[in-house]
Amino acid sequence: MNCIDAGGEYCPCHLAETLDCVLCSQLSGEKFCQCKNWCGVCIYDKYISNGSKAQNLRRTYTCTILKKKTPDKNLCILTLKAPEDLTRELVYPGSFVFLKNTENPVYYDVPISIMEADVIRNTLKIAIKLNGIKTKNLFSLNENDRISVRGPFFNGIMGLSNIYEAKNGTSLIIACGIGIAPSIPIMKKLHSNNNKIISFIDTQFKNNFSEKYLNDYSSKIVNCRILENGYLTENFKSILKDCLSGGNINLIHCGGPDILIYRIIQFADKSIALSCCNNSKMNCGEGICSSCTKHYKNDVVKRLCKVQMDSRELFKDRKFI
């Protein structure tokens, strides 16, 4: 277990002030230093040096919508003009922001993954699935409208270390619906690490909004029905089994709902590294609101907007019928 913000610009965060720090033992109620995951700096020392208070929270930016596309009645693709400093921070796998209409109150914030961050043009491309009042308000925005963007946030993917360590092999992308969007930065990273990428795609929309990216970064694209009634389809399992038996698979990334990730964990060999979408409910992204907290055995509480962990550990104590 690690903290996505540990040692960075936003560390120590406000969890340190309430003695709930994810990593530092002294900032989580202990009397002595018992660091297990060294992040390169002493978080306690940073806290004391900062006047025994947290660093600033993420900023909220006002951006402009340059383009709006609706390839499906339930799907909207927005291209935003963003400040250079924000765009630079959002090029990595797992990056996301909180969005809302500038005219709405703060509780309309909704976390949306970054599909593409262009540091040359300073633009952000995001895909939004219609899924309730918050996203409905975003759908109502049009080109040249302003939009509120809070960020950057980095914990949209679990198992990030596995992605960075996957090199010179064959990597599998298994993605359904809107889960394809956060998988695109992962494809780019795996491609830059000299991996052959095989993409299993279940678009679930009228048009495949990711076609350009898939063609650019995938060695092979398999379009098929992946999930049906909460289970992997027989056709998909047959294709995947043949692929896994070929060997040299260094990573499986699952982009989609928790039930998909759980079924892939059940199906795949335990020796193969995994990464997956972080589907935790989030309202603040700072570990404060507790909407993303999960309670594990021995009263262990993990704030999943902050905690970076292996995909199998994430689902270790969960059961799906």
Side-chain angles (χ1 to χ4, degrees):
M1 187 179 71
N2 211 331
C3 177
I4 196 69
D5 289 330
E9 180 182 353
Y10 304 103
C11 173
C13 68
H14 284 254
L15 295 179
E17 295 181 332
T18 59
L19 298 182
D20 291 304
C21 180
V22 172
L23 287 188
C24 177
S25 58
Q26 289 176 282
L27 293 175
S28 58
E30 301 293 334
K31 292 184 179 180
F32 303 102
C33 177
Q34 300 180 41
C35 287
K36 295 181 180 179
N37 294 329
W38 176 246
C39 64
V41 299
C42 175
I43 298 173
Y44 183 74
D45 180 66
K46 284 192 70 177
Y47 181 72
I48 298 300
S49 300
N50 199 45
S52 296
K53 61 182 181 180
Q55 298 280 18
N56 293 329
L57 297 172
R58 268 82 169 179
R59 291 176 55 192
T60 297
Y61 302 81
T62 299
C63 299
T64 303
I65 299 174
L66 297 180
K67 293 181 182 178
K68 178 183 179 181
K69 294 183 179 180
T70 52
D72 185 277
K73 66 178 182 179
N74 293 318
L75 179 68
C76 178
I77 310 292
L78 298 181
T79 302
L80 312 179
K81 183 67 175 179
E84 181 183 357
D85 60 332
L86 177 63
T87 307
R88 283 199 315 265
E89 295 290 333
L90 295 170
V91 297
Y92 307 104
S95 297
F96 68 97
V97 292
F98 280 80
L99 300 178
K100 73 176 185 69
N101 188 324
T102 55
E103 297 180 359
N104 290 142
V106 66
Y107 45 78
Y108 274 79
D109 263 354
V110 58
I112 302 290
S113 295
I114 299 298
M115 188 163 67
E116 182 180 29
D118 188 329
V119 295
I120 304 300
R121 297 179 178 86
N122 289 327
T123 58
L124 303 172
K125 186 172 285 188
I126 54 177
I128 305 170
K129 180 183 177 183
L130 186 60
N131 191 30
I133 294 172
K134 292 183 178 183
T135 50
K136 188 176 182 180
N137 271 270
L138 295 177
F139 265 61
S140 68
L141 295 172
N142 295 301
E143 292 181 0
N144 298 318
D145 284 348
R146 296 188 305 166
I147 187 170
S148 177
V149 180
R150 181 162 58 89
F153 295 90
F154 311 112
N155 212 40
I157 298 294
M158 290 294 184
L160 283 172
S161 61
N162 291 334
I163 295 170
Y164 285 97
E165 291 169 6
K167 298 178 181 179
N168 305 311
T170 300
S171 305
L172 306 185
I173 300 288
I174 302 170
C176 294
I178 199 63
I180 300 170
S183 302
I184 290 170
I186 296 168
M187 291 182 199
K188 290 182 179 181
K189 184 60 185 176
L190 293 171
H191 184 266
S192 70
N193 281 349
N194 198 35
N195 290 292
K196 175 184 176 183
I197 301 170
I198 302 175
S199 297
F200 296 87
I201 302 297
D202 186 351
T203 57
Q204 299 181 355
F205 295 109
K206 185 178 180 180
N207 296 301
N208 186 355
F209 65 94
S210 61
E211 187 173 6
K212 173 188 178 298
Y213 303 101
L214 290 168
N215 291 334
D216 286 346
Y217 301 111
S218 298
S219 303
K220 182 180 180 181
I221 304 168
V222 180
N223 291 292
C224 62
R225 185 71 171 169
I226 295 177
L227 270 179
E228 210 165 69
N229 298 322
Y231 291 89
L232 302 178
T233 65
E234 292 302 319
N235 179 51
F236 170 69
K237 286 196 293 185
S238 176
I239 301 171
L240 180 58
K241 184 177 180 180
D242 290 342
C243 188
L244 294 175
S245 64
N248 200 30
I249 303 298
N250 58 17
L251 176 77
I252 298 176
H253 171 72
C254 303
D258 282 353
I259 186 64
L260 168 66
I261 302 165
Y262 182 76
R263 297 302 181 202
I264 294 298
I265 289 173
Q266 285 184 314
F267 188 85
D269 190 286
K270 293 182 179 179
S271 63
I272 301 175
L274 284 172
S275 63
C276 68
C277 287
N278 182 359
N279 294 318
S280 305
K281 294 179 180 178
M282 298 185 197
N283 284 322
C284 73
E286 302 284 359
I288 300 169
C289 71
S290 297
S291 63
C292 69
T293 55
K294 292 288 186 295
H295 295 262
Y296 292 82
K297 293 179 179 178
N298 300 321
D299 295 324
V300 175
V301 177
K302 296 179 181 177
R303 293 168 173 82
L304 297 182
C305 68
K306 291 275 189 180
V307 170
Q308 180 63 204
M309 59 194 298
D310 184 83
S311 303
R312 289 186 174 89
E313 285 297 313
L314 179 65
F315 286 85
K316 189 174 182 180
D317 296 329
R318 298 185 63 180
K319 297 293 182 182
F320 289 85
I321 298 175

